[in-house]
Amino acid sequence: MSSEAADPTGLIAKSGIELLTFGTPNGYKISILLEELRGAYGKDYTYQPINIGHNIQKQPWFTAICPNGRIPAIVDHDRGGFAVFEGLAILGYLTRHYDPQKKFSFPPDSNEYDEAETWMAWQHGGLGPMQGQAGHFVRFAKEKIPYGIQRYVGETERLYGVLDARLEGRDFIVGNKYSIADINLLGWINVARLSGIILEEQFPNIDKWLNRCLERPAVRRGFAIPFASPLTNASVKEGIEANPALKRQVEETDKLIKNAKTQYGYKYTSP
């Protein structure tokens, strides 16, 4: 597998799955599944890091694979160079073609298949976009806009409440079996703190579920491809304990969120 190298300029593999990815919530969901498939079936793959800060994803060779100019994307060299983009579609593709024993998916004629598809669509259309906007307005926007902060953090919290209720009395999201319904969410939940959410205080069922999933070796390996994120909940918590400057920064951000909620009379409700 490829790891640290110069920015890629095209595909490098001749066979198997080639993953084009970066260290983002959507990127990790694919590397985690590929690590699970490798462990279960010996299905190896190649990956290339697509540095979105360098706009590699906008280059013609990449947009020929993914017209949307976003990661992740895969190319299946064993099926004529067939390309798939969008995390939801990639998870479905990989399990349809390379999970014959349905270790991480469900039979198409089962209720669990439809449940998994429902929860994956919920993430793809709801939690991911809302949490992404929350993180942007809280952390990255040059102008701190209180309305945007409380709007997106609040909607993210509402969605987390939906998931927390789903996990009441369950080990996993669908069929009480670890599957792509879980993998689809792991990258986002693992950086919840970036959007001002403290799982152990606000959403204990999600916190237990995340820790349960993180016990899997393939999950940990997948979270290291193409590199381990410095923004995970655990990394932020460790940083706060060890770095007074970071602790002050996090406290200031939490205060920013609290003040934005107060200004607009935000009250948590879910659903």
Side-chain angles (χ1 to χ4, degrees), residues 144-162:
K144 302 305 180 187
I145 304 172
Y147 180 80
I149 291 171
Q150 63 86 32
R151 169 71 177 90
Y152 288 111
V153 171
E155 179 62 5
T156 301
E157 288 178 342
R158 185 191 73 81
L159 291 163
Y160 269 61
V162 172

Side-chain angles (χ1 to χ4, degrees), residues 120-229:
M120 291 171 72
W122 173 84
Q123 183 281 318
H124 195 72
L127 187 140
M130 293 300 102
Q131 186 173 333
Q133 291 295 332
H136 173 79
F137 277 95
V138 170
R139 303 281 178 176
F140 304 116
K142 293 181 179 179
E143 181 183 356
K144 302 305 180 187
I145 304 172
Y147 180 80
I149 291 171
Q150 63 86 32
R151 169 71 177 90
Y152 288 111
V153 171
E155 179 62 5
T156 301
E157 288 178 342
R158 185 191 73 81
L159 291 163
Y160 269 61
V162 172
L163 181 60
D164 198 70
R166 173 66 177 181
L167 287 167
E168 180 69 37
R170 294 174 177 267
D171 287 340
F172 301 105
I173 294 171
V174 174
N176 224 24
K177 162 186 162 180
Y178 171 80
S179 72
I180 53 175
D182 303 284
I183 294 171
N184 191 47
L185 278 157
L186 281 173
W188 289 102
I189 306 300
N190 203 33
V191 292
R193 192 65 179 88
L194 194 64
S195 301
I197 293 173
I198 304 175
L199 292 179
E200 59 268 31
E201 295 180 6
Q202 297 174 269
F203 304 106
N205 292 327
I206 299 178
D207 184 52
K208 293 174 185 176
W209 164 85
L210 176 61
N211 290 329
R212 190 176 299 120
C213 292
L214 288 172
E215 291 175 357
R216 299 181 65 88
V219 171
R220 296 195 297 271
R221 291 195 302 269
F223 269 131
I225 294 172
F227 57 83
S229 171

Side-chain angles (χ1 to χ4, degrees), residues 28-256:
Y28 288 130
K29 65 177 68 173
I30 310 306
S31 54
I32 288 171
L33 177 58
L34 284 168
E35 284 296 322
E36 293 283 10
L37 293 174
R38 188 172 69 153
Y41 302 105
K43 178 67 178 175
D44 208 354
Y45 67 99
T46 302
Y47 72 84
Q48 294 201 73
I50 304 300
N51 191 328
I52 58 179
H54 295 176
N55 272 338
I56 308 303
Q57 75 280 10
K58 304 298 184 183
Q59 293 182 0
W61 75 268
F62 187 91
T63 58
I65 297 163
C66 174
N68 196 36
R70 296 287 190 275
I71 63 96
I74 64 167
V75 175
D76 190 343
H77 295 285
D78 292 340
R79 298 188 70 244
F82 191 79
V84 187
F85 61 96
E86 294 293 333
L88 179 63
I90 297 171
L91 293 176
Y93 176 89
L94 289 173
T95 48
R96 280 193 300 275
H97 291 281
Y98 299 110
D99 183 24
Q101 297 177 29
K102 299 293 183 288
K103 292 185 176 182
F104 312 106
S105 55
F106 302 94
D109 59 350
S110 68
N111 288 343
E112 288 86 358
Y113 181 95
D114 295 320
E115 282 188 282
E117 192 172 63
T118 298
W119 282 99
M120 291 171 72
W122 173 84
Q123 183 281 318
H124 195 72
L127 187 140
M130 293 300 102
Q131 186 173 333
Q133 291 295 332
H136 173 79
F137 277 95
V138 170
R139 303 281 178 176
F140 304 116
K142 293 181 179 179
E143 181 183 356
K144 302 305 180 187
I145 304 172
Y147 180 80
I149 291 171
Q150 63 86 32
R151 169 71 177 90
Y152 288 111
V153 171
E155 179 62 5
T156 301
E157 288 178 342
R158 185 191 73 81
L159 291 163
Y160 269 61
V162 172
L163 181 60
D164 198 70
R166 173 66 177 181
L167 287 167
E168 180 69 37
R170 294 174 177 267
D171 287 340
F172 301 105
I173 294 171
V174 174
N176 224 24
K177 162 186 162 180
Y178 171 80
S179 72
I180 53 175
D182 303 284
I183 294 171
N184 191 47
L185 278 157
L186 281 173
W188 289 102
I189 306 300
N190 203 33
V191 292
R193 192 65 179 88
L194 194 64
S195 301
I197 293 173
I198 304 175
L199 292 179
E200 59 268 31
E201 295 180 6
Q202 297 174 269
F203 304 106
N205 292 327
I206 299 178
D207 184 52
K208 293 174 185 176
W209 164 85
L210 176 61
N211 290 329
R212 190 176 299 120
C213 292
L214 288 172
E215 291 175 357
R216 299 181 65 88
V219 171
R220 296 195 297 271
R221 291 195 302 269
F223 269 131
I225 294 172
F227 57 83
S229 171
L231 304 174
T232 65
N233 304 330
S235 297
V236 173
K237 184 176 182 179
E238 291 171 6
I240 291 172
E241 294 172 352
N243 186 334
L246 177 60
K247 181 179 180 180
R248 287 193 297 272
Q249 181 183 348
V250 171
E251 288 173 347
E252 289 173 1
T253 300
D254 289 344
K255 184 177 180 181
L256 176 71

